[in-house]
């Protein structure tokens, strides 16, 4: 060490470096790190002697040296895994004792095979250092002094490099190459005995103390993660990933240089063994000077910006690379040795900061494994060492050393580029520690949190979709998760259930960190998710579904049998459909089956994505009652719902998300006053104005037809009644089930006709028969007087029939803009491939028209943020908006829409009505629409039809149809929230709803009565 550094140590002792913490652990770990270098450096110094003793060439020596390193790395992984679980000090002691034994055996080796085995064994023993020392130092000493701690600990390597070359060289010179390996085992055993007095610290104790935890709280360790969880956690740290890309380059250059240094002096400058040791050791003081400079420099840089520590490597890389080149071309020994001193000093400056940053960006509970996995990235570089040896044999050592310069430069720039991620990664670890602290404190205060999400970030590939999301749920609570389309609600549920891996933040469930665990383990912990719209397997029967749910709980067949009977009691319809494939069930029946699967799984936390998606009001009312019953049994529930009105019926508290962030959390009723939050994002203003192309055509890219004719002022009847669609006696059966029976109706050009009915009534089947996706058993379909019953679907589309589907069947592998362009295909005037290949003017003009119209549609529907995204990346609601835009682009004579509001947010639904009326008016098309949202369908329809069991039970004006007793009993039910999914509802719950809640949860009856 430098004189000023020694003076400071004499004045304050090591306690000055450790900020008052006991210095004994640092002394012992320093000693073990020092003796670790003796054996390794001795082999490097004595490599020429060993080569000559066994008759080896340069490639063989480098290969033997390289064999120990990968074995050390590979063994280090399981050692590090257990170091996060068992006593690390015992692992470190065992490793030191074993490498002392192998050091002795190396000195006694009599043939090449023994030499190879002893070097491999020595490398395996050395593997204990990295997983144990780095994490122990971080747990013995607080973050603010770690640069100094790691500087002292790291100086052991350079002091070892100072002592061992001299000692090995002199002993080898005066005796033989075997003696140093025998002698160096002695000090190793001394430090092994000293280490027996060390006590294992709690993992992460210093980090928790720095965050304000009490000594008792800080001493409680977290449950260590599994290997896969640890790996997923490490790979979520961006700086770690970038560092792992850099280490193969750095490893190949630094390890190769260390090995070639002695060989270069021996073969090029003909330096004997003793002088090689002295010259190699002479570089150690320069490295110690680098450490003395690096520790305070790292502290200052970390206080300013931790990322600067890694960015320094970019500048240092130029100096180190230049030193390699100088050494390669040096004309004499003095320049060669001087360049090596510069290289060692520059690298040493960086050591304290690099280790300190590692201790801050790797979470404490996986710090041992984290350091080892990062170090494992050196392995590809180590495998290059035999190649370097071969190059040295064939082309000379000067070329071999010169190759280190570009390799090191590439590695230094890669790791320097990781600097921009460091601050955010440290913050992620802090958020995780704070979340753990919050969970433990809440538990200690008797207010446990079943689910706690803090600072959650989630990305798909390079696209981040969740940004620092905070969420919490108390035991037995129902919370509504609301938001705009594409806000990230479903992604949040997937992160909680383990289906996607977060890139930052923390998720705690039942006091256990589940941030990076897999879906199977989350399920076993009691986290069950019911996916929105995709909760069943179409080819399996109802019976097979319930057996599959029970198969996930093989150890509790009694519960499975009991739970199966309970869900059949809750949903009697499932017993009627027991042997039918789920794909043949109605939307409501599929939702029932999905919920039944979730209930059989015995959830502590049930997450339901889009409960009311595509369901009739009576079914929604029934499912809400089921939710209340589940809740009464103590199950906590997260309900993702597009309708605030539906959520208000069961949830007292809500979170509202927009653009991947939480914009509101509080009482659900308070949302109704937040006009700044509850607003349309896509369809805002969709009912106003009109879209035109450059050539004066309407937004569909073709000349618009005349708008609907005005009605007669006296009678209210249309002045002209042009029939667009005439359906006569349509019938269709599936096997023995009659889905549609003798359905007949007409649709006029100036009408919007609404079609309602319970799930399974045959509404979508009627649409499929009209649009050509099914062939009727009997009956006929006329489009503008032309019989199209036998036409295929594509011919009907070319004839002007446009169709949307319940699940937005658009091209997932195309972007939003490309899908819109495809929807304009009907209106293309030129369809000649040769004209397109020759880029004829008419083709160019046509493509410009399509491009312009696509941009107009994107502006109309506020899809600019999604223009170039693949449809597969969009949420259910966002795909629905694209589907609507494509329907407008098609510019049909007849547009049939299957539940256009399905999956879109409530405010979008409220804006959808004016948009559909605008399409009807401006495009001049008749519209036939299926819809379960009563305010929407009654607000836009001129007439309505109600179906039940495949037959029409009511027809006429909207008011007459929805007041029909059969429609009320079979379809609407009595829950206002289920009926009025959009629009304004009374903020106070109705007496009926309060009675239902009180019956489900008697303990809350008094609270409900006063809410």
């Amino acid at each position: 060490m430098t004189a000023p550094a020694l003076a400071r140590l004499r004045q304050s002792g090591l306690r000055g470096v450790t900020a008052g913490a006991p210095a004994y652990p640092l002394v012992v770990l320093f000693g073990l790190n020092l003796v670790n270098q003796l054996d390794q450096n001795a082999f490097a110094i004595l490599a020429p002697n060993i080569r000559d003793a066994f008759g080896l060439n340069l490639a063989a020596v480098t290969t033997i040296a390289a064999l120990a390193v990968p074995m050390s790395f590979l063994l280090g992984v399981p050692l590090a895994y257990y170091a996060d679980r068992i006593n690390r000090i015992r692992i470190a002691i065992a490793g030191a004792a074993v490498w002392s034994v192998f050091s002795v055996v190396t000195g006694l080796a009599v043939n090449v095979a023994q030499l190879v085995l002893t070097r491999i064994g020595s490398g395996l023993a050395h593997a204990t250092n990295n997983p144990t020392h780095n994490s122990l130092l971080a747990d013995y000493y607080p973050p603010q002094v770690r640069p100094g701690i790691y500087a002292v600990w790291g100086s052991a390597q350079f002091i070892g490099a100072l002592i061992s070359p001299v000692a090995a060289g002199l002993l080898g010179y005066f005796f033989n190459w075997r003696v140093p390996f025998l002698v160096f085992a002695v000090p190793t055993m001394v430090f092994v005995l000293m280490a027996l007095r060390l006590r294992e610290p709690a993992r992460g104790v210093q980090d928790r103390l720095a965050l304000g935890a009490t000594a008792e709280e800080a001493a409680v360790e977290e449950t260590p993660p599994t290997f896969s969880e640890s790996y997923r956690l490490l790979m979520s740290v961006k700086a770690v990933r970038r560092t792992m890309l850099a280490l193969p380059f750095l490893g190949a250059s630094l390890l190769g240089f260390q090995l070639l240094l002695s060989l270069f002096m021996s073969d090029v400058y003909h330096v004997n063994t003793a002088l090689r040791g002295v010259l190699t050791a002479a570089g150690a003081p320069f490295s110690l000077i680098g450490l003395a400079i690096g520790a305070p420099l790292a502290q200052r840089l970390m206080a300013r910006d931790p990322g600067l520590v890694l960015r320094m490597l970019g500048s240092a890389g130029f100096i180190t690379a230049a030193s390699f080149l100088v050494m390669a071309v040096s004309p004499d020994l003095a320049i060669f040795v001087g360049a090596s001193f510069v290289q060692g000093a520059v690298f040493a400056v960086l050591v304290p900061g690099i280790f300190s940053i590692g201790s801050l960006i790797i979470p404490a509970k996986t710090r041992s494994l984290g350091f080892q996995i990062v170090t494992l990235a050196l392995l590809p570089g180590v495998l290059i060492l035999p190649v370097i040896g071969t190059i040295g044999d064939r082309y000379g050592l000067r070329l071999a050393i010169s190759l280190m310069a570009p390799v090191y430069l590439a590695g230094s720039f890669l790791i320097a580029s990781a600097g921009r991620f460091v601050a955010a990664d440290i913050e992620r670890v802090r958020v995780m520690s704070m979340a753990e602290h919050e969970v433990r404190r809440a538990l200690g205060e008797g207010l446990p949190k079943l689910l706690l999400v803090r600072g959650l970030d989630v990305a798909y590939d390079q696209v981040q979709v969740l940004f620092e999301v905070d969420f919490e749920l108390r035991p037995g609570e129902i919370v509504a998760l609301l938001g705009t389309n594409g806000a990230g609600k479903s992604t949040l549920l997937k992160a909680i259930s383990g289906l996607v891996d977060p890139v930052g933040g923390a998720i705690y469930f039942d006091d256990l960190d589940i941030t990076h665990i897999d879906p199977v383990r989350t399920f076993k912990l009691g986290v069950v998710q019911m996916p929105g719209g995709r909760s069943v397997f179409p080819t399996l029967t109802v019976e097979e579904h319930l057996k599959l749910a029970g198969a996930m709980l093989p150890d509790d067949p009694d519960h499975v049998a009991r739970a199966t009977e309970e869900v059949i009691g809750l949903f009697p319809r499932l017993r009627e459909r027991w042997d039918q494939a789920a794909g043949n069930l109605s939307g409501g029946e599929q939702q029932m089956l999905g919920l039944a699967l979730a209930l059989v799984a015995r959830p502590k936390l049930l997450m339901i994505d889009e409960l009311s998606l595509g369901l009739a009001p009576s079914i929604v009312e029934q499912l809400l009652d089921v939710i209340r019953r589940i809740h009464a049994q103590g199950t906590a529930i997260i309900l993702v719902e597009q309708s605030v009105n539906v959520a208000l019926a069961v949830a007292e508290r809500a979170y509202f998300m927009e653009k991947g962030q939480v914009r509101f959390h509080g009482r659900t009723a308070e949302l109704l006053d937040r006009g700044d939050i509850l607003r349309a994002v896509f369809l805002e203003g969709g009912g106003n104005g009109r879209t035109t192309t450059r050539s004066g055509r309407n937004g569909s890219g073709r000349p618009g037809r005349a708008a609907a004719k005005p009605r007669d002022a006296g009678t209210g009847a249309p002045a002209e009644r042009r029939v667009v669609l005439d359906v006569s006696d349509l019938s269709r059966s599936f096997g023995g089930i009659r889905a549609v029976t003798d359905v007949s109706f007409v649709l006029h050009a100036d009408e919007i006709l609404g079609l309602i009915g319970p799930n399974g009534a045959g509404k979508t089947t009627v649409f499929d028969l009209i649009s050509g996706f099914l062939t009727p058993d009997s009956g006929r379909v006329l489009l503008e007087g032309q019989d199209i019953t036998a036409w295929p679907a594509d011919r009907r589309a070319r004839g002007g029939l446009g169709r949307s589907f319940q699940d937005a069947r658009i091209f997932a592998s195309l972007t939003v803009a490309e899908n819109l362009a495809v929807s304009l295909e009907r209106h293309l005037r030129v369809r000649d491939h040769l004209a397109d290949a020759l880029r004829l003017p008419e083709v160019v003009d046509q493509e410009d028209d399509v491009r312009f119209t696509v941009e107009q549609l994107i502006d109309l529907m506020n899809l600019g943020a999604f223009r170039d995204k693949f449809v597969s990346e969009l949420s259910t609601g966002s795909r629905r908006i694209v589907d609507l835009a494509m329907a407008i682009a098609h510019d049909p004579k007849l547009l049939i829409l299957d539940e256009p509001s399905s999956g879109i947010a409530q405010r979008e639904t409220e804006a959808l009505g004016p948009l559909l009326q605008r399409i009807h008016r401006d495009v001049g098309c008749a519209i036939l629409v299926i819809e379960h949202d009563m305010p929407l369908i009654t607000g836009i329809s001129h007439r309505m039809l109600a179906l039940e069991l495949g037959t029409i039970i009511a027809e006429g004006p909207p008011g007459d149809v929805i007041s029909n007793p059969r429609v009320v009993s079979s379809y609407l039910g009595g829950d206002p929230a289920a009926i009025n999914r959009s629009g304004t509802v009374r903020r106070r719950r109705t007496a009926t709803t309060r009675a239902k809640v009180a019956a489900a949860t008697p303990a809350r009856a008094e609270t409900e009565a006063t809410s």
Side-chain angles (χ1 to χ4, degrees):
M1 267 186 196
T2 61
L6 289 172
R8 285 196 299 272
L9 282 178
R10 281 195 297 269
Q11 291 171 3
S12 60
L14 277 178
R15 284 187 177 269
V17 178
T18 63
Y24 187 75
L26 179 58
V27 171
V28 174
L29 294 176
F30 169 89
L32 291 176
N33 195 27
L34 187 150
V35 296
N36 181 49
Q37 304 302 311
L38 300 181
D39 171 85
Q40 292 178 322
N41 288 330
F43 191 88
I45 290 298
L46 299 170
N49 306 71
I50 296 172
R51 176 191 61 185
D52 297 338
F54 290 97
L56 304 173
N57 59 19
L58 178 60
V61 174
T62 55
T63 301
I64 293 174
L67 280 176
V69 179
M71 296 301 294
S72 171
F73 285 165
L74 294 175
L75 179 64
V77 172
L79 281 175
Y81 176 76
Y82 286 107
D84 285 325
R85 286 159 174 74
I86 61 177
N87 193 294
R88 290 165 287 181
I89 295 172
R90 293 176 184 171
I91 296 175
I93 291 173
V98 170
W99 85 56
S100 67
V101 172
F102 276 108
S103 179
V104 172
V105 176
T106 299
L108 301 177
V110 295
N111 55 48
V112 174
Q114 289 182 5
L115 181 65
V116 171
L117 291 175
T118 57
R119 299 320 299 161
I120 292 175
S122 178
L124 295 177
H126 289 303
T128 59
N129 257 25
N130 189 55
T132 57
H133 287 206
N134 293 316
S135 62
L136 280 170
L137 289 171
D139 291 334
Y140 277 127
Y141 302 106
Q144 66 270 17
V145 300
R146 285 179 193 166
I149 295 296
Y150 283 114
V152 173
W153 176 77
S155 69
Q157 298 186 15
F158 301 111
I159 294 174
L162 175 63
I163 297 173
S164 59
V166 175
L170 291 175
L171 290 172
Y173 180 78
F174 289 107
F175 299 98
N176 61 51
W177 66 267
R178 300 177 183 275
V179 173
F181 293 101
L182 303 176
V183 172
F184 289 163
V186 177
T188 301
M189 294 309 299
V190 172
F191 282 105
V192 166
L193 295 175
M194 292 178 64
L196 295 174
R197 291 183 54 197
L198 291 178
R199 295 293 178 264
E200 176 82 0
R203 292 166 181 82
V205 59
Q206 296 296 337
D207 302 273
R208 289 188 287 271
L209 288 172
L211 292 173
T214 64
E216 292 77 12
E217 292 171 336
V220 180
E221 292 189 16
E222 287 187 86
T223 303
T226 64
F227 184 87
S228 62
E229 293 164 30
S230 297
Y231 184 78
R232 293 170 74 182
L233 174 57
L234 288 170
M235 292 302 101
S236 71
V237 182
K238 293 182 180 179
V240 167
R241 295 203 306 268
R242 187 61 60 88
T243 300
M244 292 180 70
L245 288 176
L247 286 181
F249 299 93
L250 297 177
S253 53
L254 293 176
L255 293 175
F257 164 73
Q258 184 182 17
L259 183 63
L260 293 175
L261 180 63
S262 181
L263 293 168
F264 195 96
M265 287 189 290
S266 174
D267 292 357
V268 176
Y269 298 114
H270 309 292
V271 178
N272 61 34
T273 303
L275 185 56
R276 285 200 310 271
V278 172
L279 292 176
T280 303
F286 293 92
S287 297
L288 292 174
I289 293 172
L291 282 176
I293 297 171
L297 178 61
Q299 286 181 323
R300 287 196 297 271
L301 292 177
M302 289 175 65
R304 179 181 170 189
D305 178 5
L308 292 174
V309 174
L310 295 186
R311 293 191 190 113
M312 276 200 312
L313 275 168
S315 302
F318 281 109
I319 301 174
T320 304
S323 70
F324 284 139
L325 293 176
V326 169
M327 293 168 67
V329 300
S330 60
D332 56 54
L333 181 61
I335 295 176
F336 178 87
V337 173
S340 72
F341 292 167
V342 171
Q343 184 269 336
V346 171
F347 180 74
V349 170
L350 306 171
V351 168
I354 292 174
F355 280 101
S356 298
I357 292 297
S359 73
L360 294 174
I361 64 176
I362 300 175
K365 60 186 175 183
T366 187
R367 194 171 279 150
S368 295
L369 184 60
F371 271 111
Q372 185 60 33
I373 286 181
V374 170
T375 308
L376 195 64
L378 288 167
L379 189 57
V382 172
L383 298 178
I384 300 175
L385 291 182
V387 178
I388 293 174
T390 302
I391 292 173
D393 281 332
R394 180 170 297 182
Y395 301 105
L397 288 169
R398 291 187 183 275
L399 177 60
I401 286 187
S402 66
L403 291 176
M404 305 300 179
V407 174
Y408 185 87
L409 201 59
S412 64
F413 275 112
L414 277 173
I415 200 171
S417 68
R420 68 177 184 269
F421 306 125
V422 169
D425 290 334
I426 292 175
E427 176 62 18
R428 288 190 181 98
V429 174
R430 189 192 71 82
V431 168
M432 294 176 64
S433 298
M434 290 293 291
E436 176 203 357
H437 180 58
E438 185 177 352
V439 167
R440 295 189 184 283
R441 179 154 291 182
L443 186 62
E445 294 172 351
L447 299 170
K449 297 177 181 179
L450 180 68
L451 177 70
L452 181 72
V453 178
R454 286 291 180 262
L456 191 68
D457 295 331
V458 175
Y460 295 115
D461 295 325
Q462 301 300 315
V463 180
Q464 187 167 345
V465 294
L466 292 186
F467 302 85
E468 298 182 0
V469 170
D470 291 341
F471 186 93
E472 61 183 74
L473 180 72
R474 294 185 290 272
E477 185 181 22
I478 300 181
V479 169
L481 181 57
L482 312 171
T484 56
N485 295 115
K489 305 181 296 297
S490 297
T491 298
L492 175 57
L493 298 193
K494 290 177 181 178
I496 294 171
S497 59
L499 292 172
V500 299
D501 192 35
V503 297
I507 306 173
Y508 277 80
F509 175 74
D510 208 10
D511 305 328
L512 180 66
D513 185 357
I514 65 168
T515 311
H516 297 283
I517 72 175
D518 59 83
V520 174
R521 191 173 173 203
T522 59
F523 174 83
K524 292 179 179 179
L525 292 172
V527 178
V528 178
Q529 179 181 350
M530 177 182 166
R534 297 180 298 276
S535 55
V536 298
F537 301 99
T539 58
L540 299 184
T541 65
V542 171
E543 179 185 14
E544 290 167 340
H545 273 85
L546 293 174
K547 286 183 177 179
L548 182 63
M552 297 295 290
L553 301 167
D555 299 330
D556 196 351
D558 293 338
H559 163 77
V560 173
R562 185 171 59 255
T564 302
E565 287 302 316
E566 288 177 357
V567 297
I568 292 299
L570 285 174
F571 306 114
R573 187 76 175 205
L574 295 182
R575 189 179 296 278
E576 300 173 16
R577 307 288 194 182
W578 191 250
D579 296 321
Q580 291 188 25
N584 294 332
L585 304 182
S586 69
E589 291 165 347
Q590 289 185 10
Q591 288 286 77
M592 293 178 189
L593 180 55
L595 196 54
L597 295 175
L599 296 180
V600 170
R602 192 171 52 192
K604 291 182 182 178
L605 169 61
L606 175 59
M607 301 187 295
I608 304 174
D609 197 353
E610 303 285 8
L611 175 70
S612 65
L613 183 67
L615 300 185
S618 59
I619 300 297
V620 175
E621 179 182 5
Q622 181 182 355
L623 292 181
L624 289 176
D625 285 339
V626 172
I627 295 301
R628 295 183 184 104
R629 292 173 62 179
I630 297 170
H631 176 229
Q633 296 171 2
T635 301
I637 298 172
I638 299 176
L639 178 62
V640 171
E641 182 55 58
Q642 297 292 2
S643 170
V644 180
N645 298 339
V646 172
L648 184 64
V650 291
E652 290 295 327
R653 207 161 57 85
Y655 285 78
F656 190 93
M657 295 181 65
E658 184 178 18
K659 295 181 179 178
Q661 296 177 307
V662 173
R663 292 286 308 280
F664 168 90
H665 66 91
R667 290 181 61 83
T668 311
E670 296 174 9
L671 269 175
L672 298 177
D673 294 324
R674 296 297 301 271
D676 59 320
I677 293 178
L678 292 180
R679 70 187 193 286
V681 173
F682 293 104
L683 305 182
E684 189 170 14
N688 302 315
R690 62 184 294 139
T691 303
T692 58
T693 64
R694 297 181 306 160
S695 54
R697 290 185 287 270
N698 64 18
S700 66
R702 66 180 294 277
R705 289 182 298 278
K709 299 294 184 181
R711 294 176 177 266
D712 184 273
T715 65
E720 295 182 13
R721 303 289 289 175
R722 180 168 59 91
V723 175
V724 174
L725 179 68
D726 186 351
V727 175
S728 301
D729 301 320
L730 280 186
S731 297
R732 172 71 187 199
S733 298
F734 296 98
I737 301 175
R738 193 79 164 174
V740 175
T741 305
D742 297 330
V743 170
S744 301
F745 62 88
V746 295
L747 175 60
H748 299 92
D750 61 344
E751 280 187 317
I752 297 178
L753 178 61
L755 186 59
I756 63 173
N759 296 105
K763 304 183 298 299
T764 299
T765 301
V766 169
F767 271 25
D768 288 340
L769 293 171
I770 294 172
S771 55
F773 288 90
L774 289 175
T775 302
D777 297 333
S778 61
R780 66 175 186 172
V781 179
L782 303 181
L783 181 65
E784 292 194 320
Q786 188 169 10
D787 191 342
I788 64 170
T789 310
W791 287 12
D794 62 314
R795 186 178 176 187
R796 300 187 196 202
R798 289 193 298 272
L801 191 153
R803 162 81 190 270
S804 77
F805 292 86
Q806 202 171 11
D807 54 355
R809 297 182 191 175
I810 49 185
F811 301 101
S813 60
L814 300 182
T815 66
V816 169
E818 289 167 345
N819 269 282
L820 294 177
V822 168
S823 65
L824 292 166
E825 191 272 342
R826 172 183 171 227
H827 310 298
L828 297 182
R829 302 177 300 280
V830 180
R831 302 170 184 271
D832 185 86
H833 295 298
L834 180 60
D836 185 58
L838 296 175
R839 305 296 295 162
L840 297 182
E842 191 172 5
V843 172
V844 173
D845 183 63
Q846 178 176 266
E847 290 181 354
D848 288 343
D849 269 354
V850 169
R851 190 179 302 110
F852 186 81
T853 305
V854 167
E855 296 304 323
Q856 289 285 301
L857 289 166
I858 288 173
D859 290 341
L860 173 69
M861 307 297 279
N862 288 327
L863 286 166
F866 302 93
R867 185 191 188 285
D868 298 315
K869 285 190 176 182
F870 293 107
V871 166
S872 59
E873 300 173 359
L874 303 184
S875 68
T876 301
S878 301
R879 288 196 299 271
R880 172 61 71 188
I881 301 299
V882 177
D883 190 36
L884 288 172
M886 294 174 69
I888 297 172
H890 184 62
D891 188 23
K893 302 173 184 176
L894 168 64
L895 178 60
I896 56 180
L897 303 173
D898 197 349
E899 299 187 28
S901 75
S902 176
I904 66 174
Q906 178 169 319
R907 287 298 189 262
E908 306 289 359
T909 300
E910 293 167 2
L912 179 60
L915 176 64
L916 294 180
Q917 289 174 325
R918 177 190 163 187
I919 296 171
H920 171 62
R921 180 183 68 248
D922 291 355
V923 178
C925 67
I927 297 179
L928 176 61
V929 57
I930 295 173
E931 184 53 62
H932 291 303
D933 188 293
M934 288 300 100
L936 173 61
I937 191 69
T938 57
I940 65 172
S941 298
H942 300 107
R943 286 188 303 122
M944 289 176 59
L945 300 176
L947 266 67
E948 182 181 9
L949 299 178
T951 61
I952 297 175
I953 61 172
E955 180 177 2
D960 294 346
V961 171
I962 65 173
S963 61
N964 184 291
R966 289 187 64 184
V967 174
V968 172
S969 62
S970 67
Y971 177 62
L972 293 179
D975 193 324
I979 297 171
N980 300 304
R981 300 185 202 181
S982 64
T984 303
V985 297
R986 290 186 302 164
R987 298 186 189 180
R988 294 182 180 274
R989 295 182 177 181
T990 64
T992 302
T993 302
R994 287 199 299 271
K996 290 177 179 178
V997 175
T1001 54
R1004 298 170 57 194
E1006 183 177 351
T1007 302
E1008 294 294 340
T1010 60
S1011 61

